[in-house]
Amino acid sequence: MASNILSHTLFLLVITMATYHISHASDPDITSDFIIPANRSTVDGTFFTFSGMRAPFQVDWPEAFNVTKASMAQFPALNGQSVSYAFLQYPSLSINPPHMHPRAAELLLVIEGSLEVGFIDTTNKLYTQTLNTLDMFVFPKGLVHYQYNANPNDPATALSAFGSANAGTVSVPSTIFATGIDEGILATAFKTDIPTIQKLKAGLAPPKA
């Protein structure tokens, strides 16, 4: 009897710990100060330095929305550190289309200009806000959201912080219309016809070289 009680207690403890871990999961914890890539044997201060954010300021202003990322892919020192950034540029009337980050919340800081932002929760409720210079807005983890520069004359810039070294980005338009899902399935899902789906897909096709 005592053995059964102990077994059940241990089982419940394991389940509780597993549930807690899943519900609080983000980037995995590391057991060292930092992670050295396999192709490097030693590191110095340059390994912990990222200069990629200079790039947007060394070229002409983009004609369409542009993002410069500092995530694990571009900055390997972030591996295991549960943080990353993105620098966002919005020409007049440009949009960062609806998208989501499956592995992190996003904290957006408007550096210059203004933005119309919004996200949709799991009950399909839309939350919107107009942000001005130095305003901040948080997009909860995994929820679809967007940013739009409604100003017809002035550009806007923003900086986004993520609680993951690899937050991931899933673009809603591209994921739905540019990944090969059967056009008949899409037409049925959106209660329209195949020619309409084909027009939407054509608009998302990359420009020919």
Side-chain angles (χ1 to χ4, degrees), residues 114-148:
S114 62
L115 292 172
E116 304 293 327
V117 304
F119 73 85
I120 303 165
D121 71 10
T122 55
T123 68
N124 285 332
K125 181 177 180 180
L126 174 64
Y127 299 82
T128 63
Q129 185 65 34
T130 299
L131 304 180
N132 295 305
T133 301
L134 299 184
D135 286 345
M136 301 178 78
F137 192 86
V138 63
F139 301 102
K141 178 180 177 180
L143 297 185
V144 173
H145 58 280
Y146 65 88
Q147 303 109 30
Y148 174 58

